[in-house]
Amino acid sequence: MAANYDEKLLLNYVPIYIMLPWCERECGKRIRRSLETQLKRLKEEAGIDGVMVDVWWGIIESKGPKQYDWTAYKTLFQLIGSLGLKIQAIMSFHQCGGNVGDVVTIPIPQWVRDVGENDPDIFYTNRKGTRDIEYLSIGVDNLPLFAGRTAVQMYSDYMSSFKENMLDLLEAGVIVDIEVGLGPAGELRYPSYPQSQGWVFPGIGEFQCYDKYLTKDFKDAAAKVGHPEWDLPQDAGEYNDKPEETGFFKRNGTYVSEEGKFFLTWYSNKLIFHGDQIIGEANKIFAGLKVNVAAKVSGIHWLYNHHSHAAELTAGYYNLFKRDGYRPIARMLSKHFGILNFTCLEMKDTDNTAEALSAPQELVQEVLSKAWKEGIEVAGENALETYGSKGYNQILLNARPNGVNPNGKPKLRMYGFTYLRLSDTVFQEDNYELFKKLVRKMHADQDYCGDAAKYGHEIVPLKTPNSQLTVEDIVDAAQPSGAFKWDSETDMKVDG
């Protein structure tokens, strides 16, 4: 059947992807068959555009340094491509397990963890000395501790091997996005709120920079500015404290002192330059191919309405009423022609109790606005399982904050949306009918369109940066600048 669409309305189309379920080791034939059946239905009946897949470091390079095994993924990707679906591939350099929604455990490679047996400081560490083994500390990014390679070299070699082994799928336009994992849960952040260590919502979390490498880095930085006596925070409390219970986050607390500001600048800059370096490697590797590079930023919506923004600060986002924590990340991504992928698109301010001081709507507006002001594209996903019209309508509002433009391109439009996650629950009768409506409304009531150029998303060959990110860039981008206005509700409701 020929697709039916209005060319002007098509310019409002937002492609929709679905996140694949986790596979522990090899996706066996039985699992692949059931996956094929489900994806066929989603493509033919719902009209989804593609899928997002975690490409686990802990599976691919498990046998030893540079011993990559891509066979299972090659088979899976060929299957997805044969169904006419596009692929967003995540370079997952983190452990699966220990975060919200994790149902399987896939640690980082054993031979990497073995280095940590003798040198546990390769892992992020809190003030008490508890290690977080889900991702390597930024402190070892450029130290050759892993059979002669640095952490960044391991990530870079992995992405090069991915490109070599998947080149046919990249050149055929099947793989359209490379999302580069930059931290726990694949997000550019510190592991400040690990459930594995007893954190519960809406705790402030803890700074994660007390390994010997980051401690030395901080002490050197403090000495350089003439303050060798400055130290990493000792008064920032524990995972489940409230901000006011700590010396650091209370009103007029350490966080507004000269020493506190220096620490927060150092802590957040380390994170941004970590992202810059690894996205820079991805950019070099995939340059010239028609593919996007992207990075995911976490939606830390709790305590957003507290003056300290404590939960954001511990995660590495130095975001306050008078300091922008997200535009500097967007500025970094703009240097690499990257896409910012954000989360919690389904959430409303009323979803959580008052004590959480949660403001996901304002947070989403702020982050999306800053990325658009930096001239980059924004994609996004839901944070928690969502099957109802309330969450779907909020997602649709964020996808086109000022609605559909019947005469062409809308003022604001997200680059794509990824639904978490594929499961049998999606196919339960009422759920599936509503999900099909979500896809239809994302597509601005147009039929599925396989040609991204028709809705203004033609992928051009990836360019290399023409300038380096500087500390001055970050200072400049951190100046407060308002958010765009959002309509109060979407004009494309799934139940309207």
Side-chain angles (χ1 to χ4, degrees), residues 24-37:
E24 281 180 82
R25 281 282 142 195
E26 308 286 311
C27 275
K29 278 191 179 141
R30 186 181 56 78
I31 296 173
R32 271 207 301 276
R33 268 203 302 275
S34 97
L35 183 66
E36 181 173 8
T37 306

Side-chain angles (χ1 to χ4, degrees), residues 191-240:
S192 54
Y193 51 101
Q195 290 181 320
S196 56
Q197 292 181 36
W199 173 85
V200 289
F201 179 86
I204 56 175
E206 292 185 30
F207 293 115
Q208 302 285 336
C209 52
Y210 299 83
D211 63 80
K212 69 183 182 191
Y213 301 111
L214 283 175
T215 301
K216 181 183 184 303
D217 192 288
F218 177 79
K219 291 303 282 182
D220 290 350
K224 219 182 212 169
V225 295
H227 284 284
E229 76 285 2
W230 281 353
D231 207 352
L232 294 170
Q234 303 300 318
D235 61 349
E238 298 188 358
Y239 287 120
N240 297 317

Side-chain angles (χ1 to χ4, degrees), residues 367-384:
V367 176
L368 270 52
S369 295
K370 302 311 160 60
W372 283 325
K373 286 183 177 195
E374 285 295 319
I376 66 172
E377 297 282 6
V378 190
E381 47 195 55
N382 49 307
L384 306 173

